[in-house]
Structure formats: structure tokens, C-alpha cells
Amino acid sequence: MRFDIITCQPDLLESPFSHSILKRAQQKGLVEIHIHDLRKYAVNKHGQIDDYAFGGGAGMVMMIEPIDACISELKAERAYDALIYMTPDGQTLNQRIVNQFSLMQNVIILCGHYKGVDERVRQHFITHEISIGDYVLSGGELGAAVLADAIIRILPGVLNDETSALTDSFQDGLLAPPVYTRPAEYKGMKVPDILMSGDTPKIEQWRFEQAVERTKQRRPDLLGEE
């Protein structure tokens, strides 16, 4: 899978893709991540990519010309399955959306900044608008990293144990059950006996029941109970 991320703050994206699972996924050749500095497509020698909003008001707006130039250059090289705009008023990201994106091959992510992009970009270029929550960040870069991370970790071959992603929270509409590791007892705190019983069917049933109970307590909305 290939990600092309368009941003005016490329340095913000260096670290997230240079460590841990995302780094290994690239080393394995399972994913390509390309960061594109929007200022290389600026409208003048001063690196301008934003301007004042028509009608007045506070804040600057990302211009359509640099964005169009960058997207057009990328589309000239390959076809894209999605062009995603990271914006606070987009569809709130969830595991179902992540799973859908993971089936794609080539994706462009446009990081918003300032007061956002010229509306014509959204109307004519964008296929999906995604938010990672009901709050506003300084730009879309961190949101783009969150989205890419969520997608990449469930791609086949990325995790050493591929069943791990299938048991994550939200994959089955439930939160994940409690997990434990050694030691079996620590300062009087014991691991539930069922987990050390070796009885796989009973362990799986216990985990399911715990997942349901945890979801009821913490996220009843996932069960339609709110």
C-alpha cells in the first residue's frame, strides 16, 4: 500500500513513520510512505501557499493552486483509490473506516492547516473527509499519522502475529478484554485462574464475556444502550 501525504509541515511527519511497526512495515516492503512538501508548489518565490479569506475574517486559507499542482503531479504517475482530507468537520474515524481504507492500494492524504483549504479543493478533489475527534489541532499532520498508523498495522504481514489485530478493540464492535502477563501473582494481586487453566474454549468464552462487560461499562453506545 502506498501513502502520499501532502503537507506544509513535513518535519512533523518524520518521527511517526521512523519507528516501531510503521518503520518495520516499510522495511518489509509492505507499505510506502511519501511526504510531499506543499511549499514546493507555491505560487511565488516567497513560498506562498495561503492567502486571506474572501469576505474577511481572521485566519488564512490554503490556496487551491499549490494543492492542485501537487495532486495533478501525483495523479499523472498512478491512479489513486482515495484522496483524504484531514479536517475537524470530517467523518469521525473508527475501525470500520480503517478496515475499508486498508483494502486500498494508493491513497493521498491532504493535511489541512490554518483555517482550512479553499472550499473548491473539497468540492472537486477530495473523496473522503476524516476527523480523528471533536477538537481542533494546529494542522492535519498528527491526524494523518494516526490514520496511517491505524491502517498500516492491520495490513497482512505487518504484525508478527496477524491474529493480534483481529482481537483489537472495535474489530468486533466490542472493547478488548483485560490482559495479563507474568508473574501470575504480584504483591497479592493474582491473574484469574481461568487464564492459566489451558482450557482454550473456556478462556475464549471468559474473554468474550469480559469484553461485553467492559463495553457495557465504558462504551455502552457501541452496544446501542445509550
Short mmCIF file of all heavy atoms in Angstrom, two decimals, residues 167-170 172-180 192 195 205-223 225-226:
data_model
loop_
_atom_site.label_atom_id
_atom_site.label_comp_id
_atom_site.label_asym_id
_atom_site.label_seq_id
_atom_site.Cartn_x
_atom_site.Cartn_y
_atom_site.Cartn_z
N THR A 167 -8.03 -9.10 17.25
CA THR A 167 -8.57 -9.08 18.60
C THR A 167 -8.47 -7.71 19.25
O THR A 167 -8.70 -7.57 20.44
CB THR A 167 -7.83 -10.12 19.49
OG1 THR A 167 -6.42 -9.82 19.49
CG2 THR A 167 -8.04 -11.53 18.96
N ASP A 168 -8.14 -6.71 18.47
CA ASP A 168 -8.10 -5.35 18.99
C ASP A 168 -9.49 -4.86 19.36
O ASP A 168 -10.51 -5.36 18.85
CB ASP A 168 -7.51 -4.38 17.95
CG ASP A 168 -6.02 -4.55 17.78
OD1 ASP A 168 -5.38 -5.09 18.69
OD2 ASP A 168 -5.50 -4.12 16.73
N SER A 169 -9.54 -3.83 20.19
CA SER A 169 -10.80 -3.17 20.47
C SER A 169 -11.43 -2.69 19.16
O SER A 169 -10.72 -2.29 18.23
CB SER A 169 -10.58 -1.96 21.39
OG SER A 169 -10.23 -2.37 22.69
N PHE A 170 -12.77 -2.77 19.09
CA PHE A 170 -13.59 -2.26 17.99
C PHE A 170 -13.66 -3.17 16.78
O PHE A 170 -14.54 -3.01 15.94
CB PHE A 170 -13.14 -0.86 17.54
CG PHE A 170 -13.03 0.13 18.66
CD1 PHE A 170 -11.80 0.63 19.05
CD2 PHE A 170 -14.16 0.55 19.35
CE1 PHE A 170 -11.70 1.54 20.09
CE2 PHE A 170 -14.07 1.44 20.40
CZ PHE A 170 -12.84 1.94 20.77
N ASP A 172 -14.61 -6.21 16.60
CA ASP A 172 -15.86 -6.95 16.64
C ASP A 172 -16.98 -6.14 17.29
O ASP A 172 -17.98 -6.68 17.73
CB ASP A 172 -15.68 -8.27 17.39
CG ASP A 172 -15.11 -8.07 18.80
OD1 ASP A 172 -14.89 -6.90 19.17
OD2 ASP A 172 -14.90 -9.07 19.50
N GLY A 173 -16.78 -4.83 17.35
CA GLY A 173 -17.79 -3.98 17.96
C GLY A 173 -17.72 -3.91 19.46
O GLY A 173 -18.59 -3.31 20.11
N LEU A 174 -16.68 -4.52 20.04
CA LEU A 174 -16.51 -4.54 21.48
C LEU A 174 -15.14 -3.99 21.85
O LEU A 174 -14.22 -3.99 21.04
CB LEU A 174 -16.62 -5.97 22.02
CG LEU A 174 -17.94 -6.71 21.80
CD1 LEU A 174 -17.79 -8.17 22.23
CD2 LEU A 174 -19.08 -6.05 22.55
N LEU A 175 -15.01 -3.56 23.10
CA LEU A 175 -13.69 -3.22 23.61
C LEU A 175 -12.94 -4.51 23.92
O LEU A 175 -13.55 -5.55 24.16
CB LEU A 175 -13.81 -2.36 24.88
CG LEU A 175 -14.52 -1.02 24.73
CD1 LEU A 175 -14.47 -0.27 26.06
CD2 LEU A 175 -13.91 -0.18 23.62
N ALA A 176 -11.63 -4.45 23.91
CA ALA A 176 -10.83 -5.64 24.19
C ALA A 176 -10.97 -6.03 25.66
O ALA A 176 -11.12 -5.18 26.54
CB ALA A 176 -9.37 -5.38 23.85
N PRO A 177 -10.87 -7.33 25.96
CA PRO A 177 -10.96 -7.78 27.35
C PRO A 177 -9.66 -7.49 28.09
O PRO A 177 -8.65 -7.14 27.48
CB PRO A 177 -11.17 -9.29 27.20
CG PRO A 177 -10.47 -9.62 25.92
CD PRO A 177 -10.70 -8.44 25.01
N PRO A 178 -9.64 -7.67 29.41
CA PRO A 178 -8.40 -7.48 30.18
C PRO A 178 -7.34 -8.49 29.74
O PRO A 178 -7.66 -9.61 29.33
CB PRO A 178 -8.84 -7.76 31.63
CG PRO A 178 -10.32 -7.64 31.63
CD PRO A 178 -10.78 -8.03 30.27
N VAL A 179 -6.08 -8.08 29.83
CA VAL A 179 -4.97 -8.97 29.51
C VAL A 179 -3.97 -8.97 30.66
O VAL A 179 -3.86 -7.99 31.40
CB VAL A 179 -4.26 -8.56 28.19
CG1 VAL A 179 -5.17 -8.77 27.00
CG2 VAL A 179 -3.79 -7.11 28.26
N TYR A 180 -3.26 -10.09 30.83
CA TYR A 180 -2.29 -10.25 31.91
C TYR A 180 -1.04 -10.93 31.38
O TYR A 180 -1.06 -11.60 30.35
CB TYR A 180 -2.88 -11.13 33.03
CG TYR A 180 -4.14 -10.60 33.66
CD1 TYR A 180 -5.40 -10.85 33.08
CD2 TYR A 180 -4.10 -9.89 34.85
CE1 TYR A 180 -6.56 -10.38 33.66
CE2 TYR A 180 -5.27 -9.42 35.45
CZ TYR A 180 -6.48 -9.67 34.86
OH TYR A 180 -7.64 -9.20 35.45
N PRO A 192 -6.47 -14.11 36.95
CA PRO A 192 -7.62 -15.03 37.02
C PRO A 192 -7.21 -16.47 36.68
O PRO A 192 -6.49 -16.71 35.70
CB PRO A 192 -8.58 -14.46 35.97
CG PRO A 192 -8.28 -13.00 35.95
CD PRO A 192 -6.77 -12.92 36.14
N LEU A 195 -7.34 -18.15 33.07
CA LEU A 195 -6.35 -17.87 32.04
C LEU A 195 -5.16 -18.81 32.10
O LEU A 195 -4.39 -18.90 31.13
CB LEU A 195 -5.87 -16.41 32.15
CG LEU A 195 -6.93 -15.34 31.89
CD1 LEU A 195 -6.33 -13.95 32.06
CD2 LEU A 195 -7.51 -15.50 30.49
N GLN A 205 -14.39 -17.96 25.97
CA GLN A 205 -15.70 -17.55 26.47
C GLN A 205 -15.54 -16.50 27.56
O GLN A 205 -16.29 -15.51 27.60
CB GLN A 205 -16.46 -18.77 27.03
CG GLN A 205 -17.84 -18.45 27.59
CD GLN A 205 -18.78 -17.90 26.54
OE1 GLN A 205 -18.68 -18.22 25.36
NE2 GLN A 205 -19.72 -17.05 26.97
N TRP A 206 -14.57 -16.70 28.45
CA TRP A 206 -14.30 -15.71 29.51
C TRP A 206 -13.92 -14.37 28.90
O TRP A 206 -14.40 -13.32 29.34
CB TRP A 206 -13.19 -16.22 30.41
CG TRP A 206 -12.81 -15.28 31.52
CD1 TRP A 206 -13.38 -15.21 32.76
CD2 TRP A 206 -11.80 -14.27 31.50
NE1 TRP A 206 -12.79 -14.23 33.51
CE2 TRP A 206 -11.81 -13.62 32.76
CE3 TRP A 206 -10.89 -13.85 30.54
CZ2 TRP A 206 -10.94 -12.59 33.08
CZ3 TRP A 206 -10.02 -12.81 30.86
CH2 TRP A 206 -10.04 -12.19 32.11
N ARG A 207 -13.05 -14.39 27.90
CA ARG A 207 -12.62 -13.15 27.25
C ARG A 207 -13.80 -12.43 26.60
O ARG A 207 -13.90 -11.21 26.67
CB ARG A 207 -11.53 -13.45 26.23
CG ARG A 207 -10.17 -13.74 26.85
CD ARG A 207 -9.15 -14.16 25.83
NE ARG A 207 -7.82 -14.23 26.42
CZ ARG A 207 -6.79 -14.87 25.89
NH1 ARG A 207 -6.94 -15.52 24.74
NH2 ARG A 207 -5.61 -14.87 26.50
N PHE A 208 -14.66 -13.20 25.95
CA PHE A 208 -15.84 -12.59 25.32
C PHE A 208 -16.73 -11.93 26.37
O PHE A 208 -17.18 -10.79 26.19
CB PHE A 208 -16.63 -13.64 24.54
CG PHE A 208 -17.93 -13.12 24.00
CD1 PHE A 208 -17.95 -12.26 22.91
CD2 PHE A 208 -19.13 -13.49 24.59
CE1 PHE A 208 -19.16 -11.76 22.42
CE2 PHE A 208 -20.34 -13.00 24.11
CZ PHE A 208 -20.36 -12.14 23.02
N GLU A 209 -16.98 -12.64 27.44
CA GLU A 209 -17.83 -12.09 28.50
C GLU A 209 -17.21 -10.83 29.10
O GLU A 209 -17.93 -9.86 29.40
CB GLU A 209 -18.07 -13.15 29.58
CG GLU A 209 -18.91 -14.33 29.10
CD GLU A 209 -18.95 -15.46 30.09
OE1 GLU A 209 -18.23 -15.39 31.12
OE2 GLU A 209 -19.70 -16.45 29.87
N GLN A 210 -15.91 -10.86 29.30
CA GLN A 210 -15.22 -9.69 29.85
C GLN A 210 -15.28 -8.51 28.87
O GLN A 210 -15.42 -7.36 29.29
CB GLN A 210 -13.77 -10.04 30.15
CG GLN A 210 -13.58 -11.01 31.30
CD GLN A 210 -13.99 -10.40 32.64
OE1 GLN A 210 -13.61 -9.28 32.96
NE2 GLN A 210 -14.78 -11.13 33.41
N ALA A 211 -15.16 -8.82 27.58
CA ALA A 211 -15.23 -7.75 26.57
C ALA A 211 -16.61 -7.10 26.57
O ALA A 211 -16.74 -5.88 26.49
CB ALA A 211 -14.90 -8.32 25.19
N VAL A 212 -17.64 -7.93 26.65
CA VAL A 212 -19.01 -7.40 26.69
C VAL A 212 -19.21 -6.54 27.93
O VAL A 212 -19.77 -5.44 27.86
CB VAL A 212 -20.03 -8.55 26.65
CG1 VAL A 212 -21.44 -8.01 26.91
CG2 VAL A 212 -19.98 -9.28 25.31
N GLU A 213 -18.76 -7.03 29.08
CA GLU A 213 -18.94 -6.30 30.33
C GLU A 213 -18.17 -4.97 30.31
O GLU A 213 -18.70 -3.93 30.73
CB GLU A 213 -18.48 -7.15 31.50
CG GLU A 213 -18.72 -6.51 32.87
CD GLU A 213 -20.19 -6.23 33.13
OE1 GLU A 213 -21.04 -6.97 32.61
OE2 GLU A 213 -20.47 -5.27 33.87
N ARG A 214 -16.95 -5.01 29.80
CA ARG A 214 -16.16 -3.78 29.73
C ARG A 214 -16.81 -2.78 28.78
O ARG A 214 -16.83 -1.57 29.05
CB ARG A 214 -14.74 -4.11 29.29
CG ARG A 214 -13.86 -2.89 29.09
CD ARG A 214 -12.38 -3.24 28.99
NE ARG A 214 -11.84 -3.61 30.30
CZ ARG A 214 -10.54 -3.81 30.53
NH1 ARG A 214 -9.67 -3.69 29.55
NH2 ARG A 214 -10.12 -4.11 31.73
N THR A 215 -17.34 -3.27 27.68
CA THR A 215 -18.01 -2.38 26.73
C THR A 215 -19.26 -1.77 27.33
O THR A 215 -19.54 -0.58 27.13
CB THR A 215 -18.37 -3.15 25.45
OG1 THR A 215 -17.18 -3.76 24.90
CG2 THR A 215 -18.96 -2.22 24.40
N LYS A 216 -20.02 -2.56 28.09
CA LYS A 216 -21.22 -2.03 28.76
C LYS A 216 -20.86 -0.91 29.72
O LYS A 216 -21.57 0.09 29.83
CB LYS A 216 -21.93 -3.16 29.53
CG LYS A 216 -22.71 -4.12 28.66
CD LYS A 216 -23.42 -5.16 29.52
CE LYS A 216 -24.25 -6.11 28.68
NZ LYS A 216 -24.92 -7.13 29.52
N GLN A 217 -19.76 -1.10 30.44
CA GLN A 217 -19.36 -0.13 31.44
C GLN A 217 -18.77 1.14 30.84
O GLN A 217 -19.06 2.25 31.30
CB GLN A 217 -18.33 -0.76 32.38
CG GLN A 217 -18.87 -1.88 33.24
CD GLN A 217 -17.80 -2.54 34.09
OE1 GLN A 217 -16.61 -2.22 33.98
NE2 GLN A 217 -18.19 -3.48 34.94
N ARG A 218 -17.94 0.98 29.80
CA ARG A 218 -17.18 2.12 29.29
C ARG A 218 -17.72 2.73 28.00
O ARG A 218 -17.56 3.92 27.78
CB ARG A 218 -15.72 1.69 29.08
CG ARG A 218 -15.07 1.15 30.35
CD ARG A 218 -13.61 0.85 30.14
NE ARG A 218 -13.00 0.30 31.35
CZ ARG A 218 -11.70 0.11 31.52
NH1 ARG A 218 -10.86 0.40 30.54
NH2 ARG A 218 -11.23 -0.40 32.64
N ARG A 219 -18.30 1.90 27.15
CA ARG A 219 -18.80 2.39 25.87
C ARG A 219 -20.15 1.76 25.54
O ARG A 219 -20.28 1.04 24.55
CB ARG A 219 -17.79 2.11 24.75
CG ARG A 219 -16.52 2.93 24.81
CD ARG A 219 -16.77 4.41 24.55
NE ARG A 219 -17.44 4.62 23.28
CZ ARG A 219 -16.81 4.69 22.10
NH1 ARG A 219 -15.50 4.55 22.05
NH2 ARG A 219 -17.50 4.89 21.00
N PRO A 220 -21.17 2.01 26.36
CA PRO A 220 -22.48 1.41 26.09
C PRO A 220 -23.05 1.80 24.73
O PRO A 220 -23.89 1.09 24.18
CB PRO A 220 -23.35 1.92 27.24
CG PRO A 220 -22.65 3.17 27.70
CD PRO A 220 -21.20 2.89 27.53
N ASP A 221 -22.57 2.92 24.18
CA ASP A 221 -23.04 3.35 22.87
C ASP A 221 -22.72 2.33 21.78
O ASP A 221 -23.45 2.21 20.78
CB ASP A 221 -22.44 4.70 22.49
CG ASP A 221 -20.92 4.69 22.52
OD1 ASP A 221 -20.34 4.47 23.60
OD2 ASP A 221 -20.29 4.91 21.46
N LEU A 222 -21.63 1.58 21.95
CA LEU A 222 -21.25 0.57 20.97
C LEU A 222 -22.24 -0.58 20.93
O LEU A 222 -22.35 -1.31 19.94
CB LEU A 222 -19.86 0.03 21.27
CG LEU A 222 -18.69 1.02 21.13
CD1 LEU A 222 -17.39 0.35 21.58
CD2 LEU A 222 -18.59 1.52 19.71
N LEU A 223 -22.98 -0.76 22.04
CA LEU A 223 -23.98 -1.82 22.13
C LEU A 223 -25.39 -1.28 21.91
O LEU A 223 -26.35 -2.02 22.04
CB LEU A 223 -23.89 -2.49 23.51
CG LEU A 223 -22.55 -3.14 23.87
CD1 LEU A 223 -22.58 -3.59 25.32
CD2 LEU A 223 -22.27 -4.30 22.94
N GLU A 225 -26.88 0.92 23.73
CA GLU A 225 -27.57 1.01 25.02
C GLU A 225 -27.55 2.42 25.59
O GLU A 225 -27.92 2.63 26.73
CB GLU A 225 -26.92 0.04 26.03
CG GLU A 225 -27.03 -1.41 25.64
CD GLU A 225 -26.42 -2.34 26.65
OE1 GLU A 225 -25.86 -1.83 27.65
OE2 GLU A 225 -26.49 -3.57 26.44
N GLU A 226 -27.08 3.37 24.80
CA GLU A 226 -27.01 4.74 25.34
C GLU A 226 -28.08 5.61 24.71
O GLU A 226 -28.40 5.46 23.54
CB GLU A 226 -25.60 5.31 25.05
CG GLU A 226 -25.36 6.62 25.75
CD GLU A 226 -23.91 7.05 25.58
OE1 GLU A 226 -23.55 7.46 24.46
OE2 GLU A 226 -23.13 6.98 26.56
#
